[in-house]
Structure formats: structure tokens, C-alpha cells
Amino acid sequence: MQTSMLGNTRAFQATRVVASRPTRVAVPVIQARVALRFQRFGRKKAPFYRLVAIDSKDRRDGRPLEYLGWYDPLKKETNLKAPEIKTWISNGALPSDTVRSLLQKAMVIPTPVRVIVPVKVVVPKDEPAAAKKA
């Protein structure tokens, strides 16, 4: 061992630390889905929307897979390609909430049936006795 004014001058030897690798777990791959949504056109305070089938990860005004119609909210006019829309929905495309309500109003897709449960009217026991006395 060599010593000097600096202390121990032996060559540095690095030791390798072996860490155990974590086991690999099968992670489900999230695939991009197709969304039916609106693309905004028109000018300020005068919107005009196109209904498009687009990859869900693309931006709102990105390049669509297919144009499926249009909607003018100021004139309340729509022009929809119903067979193509039904084809996209049957293949797994998910419409946005606004598009879903428009398609339900246009009767392209069925509206969900709402079950209305009647409310039970509870009559207090004192009222029939009071009605008999009168």
C-alpha cells in the first residue's frame, strides 16, 4: 500500500451493485378508439359544426377519418349520413354527449327508455279517523 501526503493512493476499484429487476407484468394496451364528435367551423358568434369520425386522441379540428354530416345551431338544421353513422357505432365508435343527444333527436340512434317509479302516497292513520267523525 502506498501512502503519501494525500493519504491512501491505492487505485479505486468500483464494485458492481446488482439490483434485482422487477418482474415484467403484462400491461393491457389501450388502443385508440374512434370518436364521433363535432368540428367547429364558422366565424365568431356564428358556429357551424361538422360531424366527423376521428381518432379519439387527435385534436378537435384534426384530420377526420370520415365526414358524417353537419349541424347549424343557429338555423337548427342538420344533414346526417345515418347509414354511415350506424355503421361506425356498430363497429365501436363512441359519440360525444352532444353528438349523442343530436343523434337521438334525429332518431338515428334509439333514446334510452326511462323507467318512472310511482311514488307511494303514505296516508297518516289519524286522517281516516277524523274523516269518520265528521
Side-chain angles (χ1 to χ4, degrees):
M1 184 186 280
Q2 299 173 353
T3 58
S4 65
M5 291 190 307
L6 300 175
N8 189 0
T9 57
R10 186 174 60 149
F12 175 75
Q13 288 184 338
T15 57
R16 184 174 179 185
V17 178
V18 179
S20 62
R21 291 182 130 185
T23 57
R24 294 186 180 211
V25 179
V27 178
V29 178
I30 299 173
Q31 296 179 353
R33 63 174 173 82
V34 175
L36 301 181
R37 62 182 179 215
F38 285 128
Q39 283 185 337
R40 184 184 162 120
F41 289 91
R43 56 180 201 270
K44 183 178 175 183
K45 305 286 186 179
F48 181 84
Y49 298 99
R50 283 187 186 164
L51 178 61
V52 296
I54 193 168
D55 184 1
S56 65
K57 294 184 179 180
D58 285 350
R59 59 194 177 99
R60 181 193 71 183
D61 294 329
R63 186 167 159 245
L65 301 171
E66 185 178 357
Y67 291 102
L68 300 172
W70 53 266
Y71 170 60
D72 188 354
L74 298 179
K75 296 179 182 176
K76 304 288 190 217
E77 294 179 3
T78 59
N79 182 5
L80 302 173
K81 297 178 184 176
E84 287 88 349
I85 293 171
K86 289 180 181 179
T87 303
W88 277 106
I89 290 175
S90 67
N91 289 335
L94 295 176
S96 66
D97 295 337
T98 312
V99 171
R100 180 181 292 114
S101 73
L102 178 74
L103 295 177
Q104 288 173 349
K105 288 177 187 175
M107 294 186 219
V108 175
I109 59 175
T111 57
V113 179
R114 293 184 181 178
V115 178
I116 299 173
V117 179
V119 179
K120 246 185 180 176
V121 178
V122 179
V123 179
K125 295 182 178 181
D126 297 340
E127 286 186 18
K132 290 180 183 177
K133 290 180 183 179

